[in-house]
């Protein structure tokens, strides 16, 4: 019997579709930009008969503790904005095999030639990192937020330290919502093993938002909305920074003391 989504899984698909619309409306999801994975292992009851050969696809490998886990994943080349009207074309529910060599597509993946996102390796390594952090964080969201990317092009904000002080200085909520700041990963080729490795190295330090230099952002959260909010807060700070620059001035920014006071008064 083919796998069917239960009510909870349907809600998760709707949540991903809603966030896809937000990302599109924000202008952070041109063409197929961005991708997402959501750990739904606790919600997917899979029968052995549903793990037959035709649904199996090979994969170069993933951390062994992920074997048997289930993820909703966007497809490579699919558009965030299309998920709402074509969820089964744009998303798939996959279950990683016990042997660490591939996965079964249980649901979705109906677009001809469908393959999960080209960033699947990064997603799976990040999902492993989240599992090790206790498993409450279930989603990895990748998007292309304009102003945050722009700041990684400017010499004055192209270091993690300078970038975080600049962002925190623009509005108290930047420090409130993202107290650890963003982790900055130097430019690496899209979809590469080097990018996956560098990303997980940063995430393992406890960051919830990672910026890929001159490419985009990743955020983790309990659900897609939570991950979206973190990028939104930091991109608002980046926008304010650039608005001041457009006005021909350097932003005054909150002082270090004011930012530290926020951190002390409202610890995470
Ligand atoms: P995919 O379409 O393969 O998910 O790639 C989009 C992207 O943003 C790559 O970084
Ligand atoms: Zn990207």
């Amino acid at each position: 019997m083919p796998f069917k989504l239960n009510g909870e899984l349907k809600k998760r698909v709707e949540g991903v579709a809603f966030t896809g619309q937000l990302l599109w409306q924000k202008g952070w999801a041109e063409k197929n930009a961005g991708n997402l994975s959501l750990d739904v292992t606790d919600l997917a009851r899979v029968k052995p008969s549903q793990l037959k050969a035709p649904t199996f696809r090979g994969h170069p490998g993933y951390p062994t503790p992920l074997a048997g886990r289930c993820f909703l994943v966007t497809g490579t080349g699919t558009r965030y904005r299309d998920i709402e009207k074509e969820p089964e074309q744009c998303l798939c529910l996959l279950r990683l095999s016990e042997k660490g060599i591939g996965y079964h597509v249980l649901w979705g993946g109906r677009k001809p030639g469908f393959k999960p996102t080209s960033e699947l390796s990064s997603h799976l390594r990040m999902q492993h990192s989240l599992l090790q952090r206790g498993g409450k964080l279930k989603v990895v969201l990748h998007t292309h937020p304009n102003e945050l990317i722009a700041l990684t092009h400017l010499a004055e904000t192209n270091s993690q330290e300078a970038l975080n002080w600049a962002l925190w200085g623009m509005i108290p909520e930047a420090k409130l919502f993202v107290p650890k700041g963003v982790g900055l990963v130097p430019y690496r080729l899209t979809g590469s093993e080097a990018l996956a490795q560098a990303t997980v190295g940063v995430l393992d330090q406890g960051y919830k938002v990672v910026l890929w230099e001159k490419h985009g952002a990743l955020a983790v959260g309990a659900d897609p909305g939570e991950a979206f909010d973190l990028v939104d807060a930091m991109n608002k700070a980046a926008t304010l920074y650039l608005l001041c620059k457009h006005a021909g001035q350097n932003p005054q920014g909150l002082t270090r003391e004011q930012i530290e006071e926020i951190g002390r008064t409202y610890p995470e």
Side-chain angles (χ1 to χ4, degrees), residues 65-213:
L66 289 188
R69 297 195 72 84
C70 296
F71 299 91
L72 273 174
V73 176
T74 51
T76 188
T78 61
R79 301 183 184 98
Y80 265 132
R81 68 175 185 264
D82 288 344
I83 300 174
E84 191 169 61
K85 65 173 192 299
E86 300 177 329
E88 291 191 51
Q89 268 75 30
C90 298
L91 295 177
C92 75
L93 173 61
L94 59 82
R95 182 186 182 278
L96 298 178
S97 75
E98 310 294 347
K99 292 188 179 145
I101 50 163
Y103 53 84
H104 290 269
V105 175
L106 299 173
W107 170 89
R110 295 196 140 191
K111 195 179 162 198
F114 180 96
K115 280 197 207 130
T117 170
S118 57
E119 308 283 7
L120 186 63
S121 289
S122 280
H123 278 266
L124 293 179
R125 283 164 182 259
M126 290 179 80
Q127 289 287 356
H128 178 232
S129 174
L130 298 187
L131 201 57
Q132 287 180 318
R133 277 158 76 172
K136 284 205 181 113
L137 301 169
K138 304 253 179 230
V139 67
V140 174
L141 177 153
H142 169 50
T143 184
H144 294 178
N146 304 333
E147 289 79 5
L148 278 173
I149 298 169
L151 289 195
T152 70
H153 284 272
L154 300 185
E156 66 195 51
T157 43
N158 188 313
S159 84
Q160 186 170 302
E161 215 202 337
L163 181 62
N164 280 314
W165 285 109
L167 293 171
W168 286 329
M170 297 318 302
I171 185 168
E173 275 67 16
K175 179 69 180 168
L176 274 175
F177 295 160
V178 189
K180 199 171 162 64
V182 303
L184 183 61
V185 170
Y187 179 80
R188 301 274 186 281
L189 181 67
T190 301
S192 66
E193 199 51 31
L195 183 60
Q197 267 181 28
T199 306
V200 83
V202 170
L203 196 71
D204 279 344
Q205 296 167 42
Y207 288 95
K208 286 191 176 168
V209 182
V210 178
L211 266 190
W212 283 344
E213 184 192 5

Side-chain angles (χ1 to χ4, degrees), residues 29-45:
E30 72 283 0
K31 200 170 174 286
N32 61 304
N35 36 63
L36 181 146
S37 64
L38 174 63
D39 189 332
V40 292
T41 308
D42 299 342
L43 307 173
R45 310 260 166 277

Side-chain angles (χ1 to χ4, degrees), residues 240-268:
L240 292 169
Y241 186 91
L242 292 172
L243 279 174
C244 295
K245 289 273 177 188
H246 290 172
Q249 301 196 26
N250 286 322
Q252 277 189 337
L254 300 168
T255 64
R256 281 205 178 210
E257 289 68 32
Q258 288 168 333
I259 294 166
E260 281 162 3
E261 180 187 34
I262 297 167
R264 276 196 310 278
T265 314
Y266 303 103
E268 199 173 10

